[in-house]
Amino acid sequence: MKLMARRAQLQHHQCHQHLSLKALHLWKYYKWILWLALFICLFLTTTTTTPTSYSFLFRPLHLKPLLPAKTNPPALVESRKSSSAALPKIYVYELPSRYNKDWLSNSRCDSHLFASEVAIHEALLGYPGRAVDPNEADFFFVPVYVSCNFSTPNGFPSLHHARPLLSSAVDFVSSHLPFWNLSHGRDHVFVASHDYGACFHAMEDVAIADGIPEFMKRSIILQTFGVRPPHPCQQAEHVLIPPYVPPDIEDEWPAPEKARRDIFVFFRGKMEVRPKNVSGRFYSK
Ligand SMILES: *[C@@H]1O[C@H](CO)[C@@H](O)[C@H](O)[C@H]1NC(C)=O
Ligand SMILES: *[C@@H]1O[C@H](CO)[C@@H](O)[C@H](O)[C@H]1NC(C)=O
Ligand SMILES: *[C@@H]1O[C@H](CO)[C@@H](O)[C@H](O)[C@H]1NC(C)=O
């Protein structure tokens, strides 16, 4: 733990140095700057400053971040103290609710295995480095929830609509603001938290055959899908993120130092048993 905290501190320190350099350098190191940003925003409760008015379409959302702070490692306390001016600026597009919030009408949407697409969106809305003015942004976050169209019989998310929904979101942001066209989406960030991530199909052979949608190939894609590269579904700027675990899990199963317990493993996902049975019995929803 100590080692990890020190490493985080070191990375944090380096991060500051790089941030003071020119955009080129920022660009070069963007992958882990982005990682750091996500790390900070997922683990800190943030004080959301209410931004001043902005254009009607892209005014910031006033959603409260749902993630409570669970830990206070020294490196993070340190970074909280540092000025938010030093953080990479991330602009969060406000898309019509059919791309994201409408899906929350199903209560599983923000708690199931692939809910990091929702959690990261909410965390970025409260992130201290959030850019109110897109002209100041280093990165652009495109919040589309694609994993919440659950099949009634087995509870698995259907991903058929993922490509058309994302493609339509890209049309929306590229027609309303100039930033997508300026970089061809290179500084735009998506979450693809399902199996085989940005290939948007749960079966590997079909996923590989379909590939990453053409319009997303230049973008930065946060995926929970972490096989040893190279994999055709990771051939974009692939950033590996953990699958979603609800923060209140600790209420139900307190940490070993806080309570005696006889279950030591937390499992989310699907057990492959023979004969293969996807009825939902072995699927942790
Ligand atoms: C949800 O998935 C089903 C089954 O694939 C599909 O028929 C339906 O159109 C999808 N709903 C939306 C809103 O995309
Ligand atoms: C971006 O490019 C597309 C396709 O070339 C075009 O239709 C759209 O109007 C452009 N967006 C802006 C804001 O200029
Ligand atoms: C799969 O499991 C369900 C119970 O969860 C059972 O009803 C069903 O018959 C099983 N199907 C096969 C093909 O074994």
Side-chain angles (χ1 to χ4, degrees), residues 38-250:
L38 282 166
F39 192 65
I40 291 170
C41 80
L42 280 169
F43 285 93
L44 294 185
T45 8
T46 49
T47 40
T48 320
T49 46
T50 310
T52 46
S53 70
Y54 202 64
S55 82
F56 167 73
L57 258 174
F58 292 93
R59 77 187 182 281
L61 285 174
H62 293 286
L63 278 183
K64 252 183 75 189
L66 293 179
L67 294 174
K70 283 283 166 200
T71 52
N72 264 333
L76 293 179
V77 173
E78 202 50 41
S79 62
R80 190 200 305 234
K81 279 191 239 147
S82 72
S83 143
S84 67
L87 296 170
K89 294 276 180 208
I90 303 179
Y91 181 74
V92 182
Y93 282 107
E94 184 178 352
L95 299 176
S97 61
R98 68 176 180 279
Y99 293 104
N100 43 52
K101 282 184 289 171
D102 285 356
W103 294 102
L104 297 175
S105 59
N106 184 319
S107 62
R108 269 184 70 207
C109 188
D110 63 0
S111 63
H112 73 134
L113 179 58
F114 307 125
S116 49
E117 58 185 11
V118 181
I120 289 174
H121 181 205
E122 285 173 348
L124 285 175
L125 293 174
Y127 165 63
R130 181 178 166 198
V132 176
D133 179 354
N135 290 295
E136 291 170 1
D138 301 309
F139 301 102
F140 297 82
F141 184 72
V142 189
V144 184
Y145 306 164
V146 301
S147 303
C148 291
N149 187 11
F150 302 109
S151 140
T152 354
N154 61 19
F156 293 174
S158 156
L159 289 172
H160 293 293
H161 66 305
R163 287 167 192 263
L165 194 67
L166 283 157
S167 161
S168 142
V170 166
D171 287 348
F172 185 90
V173 301
S174 64
S175 60
H176 285 84
L177 286 179
F179 305 101
W180 177 276
N181 286 4
L182 282 173
S183 68
H184 302 287
R186 266 187 281 269
D187 45 8
H188 282 55
V189 182
F190 296 87
V191 179
S193 49
H194 197 276
D195 298 352
Y196 308 112
C199 286
F200 302 107
H201 202 287
M203 283 153 68
E204 187 167 22
D205 51 345
V206 186
I208 291 174
D210 290 353
I212 300 177
E214 207 51 48
F215 61 88
M216 281 175 80
K217 282 188 173 159
R218 292 186 214 90
S219 299
I220 302 160
I221 305 175
L222 314 184
Q223 308 196 78
T224 50
F225 162 54
V227 298
R228 194 183 289 265
H231 189 285
C233 302
Q234 294 179 339
Q235 279 164 8
E237 275 309 337
H238 157 72
V239 178
L240 187 63
I241 57 167
Y244 183 74
V245 175
D248 59 7
I249 196 96
E250 231 203 2

